[in-house]
Amino acid sequence: MIDIFAPTRAEKEIEKELISAIQSVMETGRYCRNFELLGEFENAFAKYCKKTYAIGVNSGSDALFFALLAHGVGKGDEVITVSHSFMESSASISKVGATPVFVDIDTETFNMNVKEIESKINNKTKAILPVHIYGQSVEMDKILDIANKYKLVVIEDCCQAHGAAYSGVKVPIGTTGCFSFYPTKNLGALGDAGIVVTDNEKVAAKIKSLRDDGRSAEAGYLHDEIGYNSRMDGIQAAALITKMPYLNKWNEERKKIAKRYDENLKDIVKIPKVGNCNEHVYYLYVIKVQNRETLMNFLKENGVGTAIHYPLPIHQQPPYKHLGYEGKLPVTEKIVKEILSLPIYPGLTIKEVDEVCEKIKDFYSK
Ligand SMILES: Cc1ncc(COP(=O)(O)O)c(C=O)c1O
């Protein structure tokens, strides 16, 4: 079986290192509030993203939530974002009391259609939250220009884009970006984990407090504000320190797999398009197909796992239906019926990629 995700394959490569890192944490018993290990990972990740600060939290969802809070986004504000994403891109906006305002996406790159942003700006607009979907950056120069012009905050959802670059610069391109280390991600933990990277000192300090029950100092029991228990734990920090040096190599593997899919499938289905200034790191390899459900079943019967990311756009999810976007995001609503994610991850062999492609060819030649 070729699963749609298989994080254990890359982990097998470095199993001894990983086990030894976990054992070291077990020897100290410092599973929580292990700020030495967490700091080591935060420094490494901040350096990788060329950002001044990195604050490890318990998920990408909380990274987004805290980044919005720390940038002062709150009740009554509007945040411009996309509906074609994982639910938390918008849920984080709602959790701070603000309202997501959806723009449509580009039919080829699946990313935010930046041309639609300005028409949505009014005096309630506080921020733009672009999502670097599937591993490819949004056109960030345009977004940063608009944000400058209207004095808006930009928080980049980089949860699917570890190492992705735009015009040669790794995301986040603006001041603040949020990452998830959900196990299937390009850099995945052994459980839930996330991080905010930023160049803004005040934002960093606020998030440090928010994630640690409102404490501004690492030691002691003085709580300056109401916060959350949302630190990245010691085991996750140890695992991520161990995996971090392999991120670029694993991204290269993903790119090779994508290239092979491109070559094999370009005449049969719509292959993903890489934007001009983009270095795509292929968290997901998403094609557009006809007869998707039948193809998915055929592939499943033939031992190939596939998935849809995501089957229901956020504006059609129950908590957002009342906003009234039905029918107003035509590209989002159209592509959601055509997209299909194929297996792509370090450890997937070229032979297996060819097998997947053969099955797809078989299906369409019938
Ligand atoms: C685009 C996007 N945003 C946010 C998240 C939330 O991250 P987490 O699952 O770590 O909370 C994810 C994770 O799947 C994601 O893909």
Side-chain angles (χ1 to χ4, degrees), residues 59-61 64 85-86 88-89 131 157 159-160 180 185 193 310:
S59 63
S61 305
L64 288 165
S85 182
F86 180 62
E88 283 294 334
S89 310
V131 181
D157 183 337
C159 288
Q160 303 192 356
S180 162
K185 296 283 149 83
Y310 294 89

Side-chain angles (χ1 to χ4, degrees), residues 54-330:
I55 312 97
V57 295
N58 79 356
S59 63
S61 305
D62 272 3
L64 288 165
F65 174 46
F66 295 158
L68 286 159
L69 277 178
H71 275 281
V73 181
K75 204 163 187 284
D77 293 334
E78 291 186 356
V79 179
I80 298 172
T81 190
V82 284
S83 172
H84 179 62
S85 182
F86 180 62
M87 178 71 172
E88 283 294 334
S89 310
S90 290
S92 60
I93 296 168
S94 303
K95 283 184 237 175
V96 304
T99 306
V101 171
F102 298 116
V103 293
D104 214 344
I105 54 168
D106 179 82
T107 181
E108 302 285 341
T109 62
F110 308 111
N111 258 329
M112 183 178 244
N113 183 344
V114 294
K115 292 190 198 92
E116 291 192 6
I117 296 175
E118 268 190 286
S119 68
K120 301 284 180 185
I121 295 175
N122 60 45
N123 56 9
K124 288 187 188 158
T125 312
K126 176 81 180 192
I128 308 174
L129 195 151
V131 181
H132 304 310
I133 202 82
Y134 303 156
Q136 146 158 263
S137 173
V138 180
E139 288 173 276
M140 282 309 296
D141 51 352
K142 311 243 169 58
I143 291 192
L144 295 176
D145 283 351
I146 296 170
N148 256 340
K149 186 168 159 194
Y150 295 94
K151 303 278 164 284
L152 302 176
V153 168
V154 176
I155 291 166
E156 289 163 60
D157 183 337
C158 309
C159 288
Q160 303 192 356
H162 316 66
Y166 183 74
S167 295
V169 179
K170 282 198 173 67
V171 298
I173 310 297
T175 307
T176 301
C178 304
F179 291 83
S180 162
F181 300 116
Y182 187 79
T184 58
K185 296 283 149 83
N186 294 42
L187 181 62
L190 304 179
D192 277 309
I195 208 163
V196 182
V197 295
T198 183
D199 284 325
N200 184 318
E201 188 182 354
K202 283 197 183 133
V203 164
K206 178 77 178 172
I207 296 172
K208 274 193 164 188
S209 161
L210 286 171
R211 73 163 178 193
D212 194 25
D213 307 304
R215 283 181 271 213
S216 54
E218 283 172 5
Y221 290 97
L222 177 65
H223 302 261
D224 299 308
E225 62 179 328
I226 304 294
Y228 301 82
N229 176 356
S230 182
R231 299 161 301 260
M232 184 189 293
D233 73 63
I235 298 276
Q236 303 316 328
L240 289 166
I241 291 167
T242 312
K243 285 183 159 192
M244 181 79 212
Y246 297 91
L247 174 56
N248 284 343
K249 171 182 169 289
W250 287 336
N251 277 347
E252 288 310 312
E253 266 192 66
R254 285 176 184 270
K255 287 182 209 167
K256 270 196 199 129
I257 293 168
K259 191 161 172 268
R260 190 71 169 198
Y261 275 135
D262 284 350
E263 287 161 2
N264 284 341
L265 297 177
K266 64 179 185 310
D267 298 326
I268 303 165
V269 298
K270 279 238 156 51
I271 58 169
K273 187 181 162 205
V274 182
N276 283 340
C277 307
N278 270 308
E279 187 181 331
H280 198 318
V281 290
Y282 295 100
Y283 168 56
L284 294 170
Y285 186 90
V286 178
I287 56 175
K288 284 193 282 188
V289 296
Q290 306 288 309
N291 307 329
R292 181 181 61 187
E293 269 60 36
T294 332
L295 172 64
M296 280 182 93
N297 283 334
F298 175 81
L299 290 174
K300 193 173 166 200
E301 280 160 18
N302 283 279
V304 178
T306 58
I308 302 164
H309 298 94
Y310 294 89
L312 192 63
I314 297 174
H315 72 280
Q316 293 175 333
Q317 297 283 355
Y320 290 117
K321 276 190 186 161
H322 72 280
L323 293 179
Y325 282 88
E326 190 67 45
K328 293 184 182 152
L329 301 167

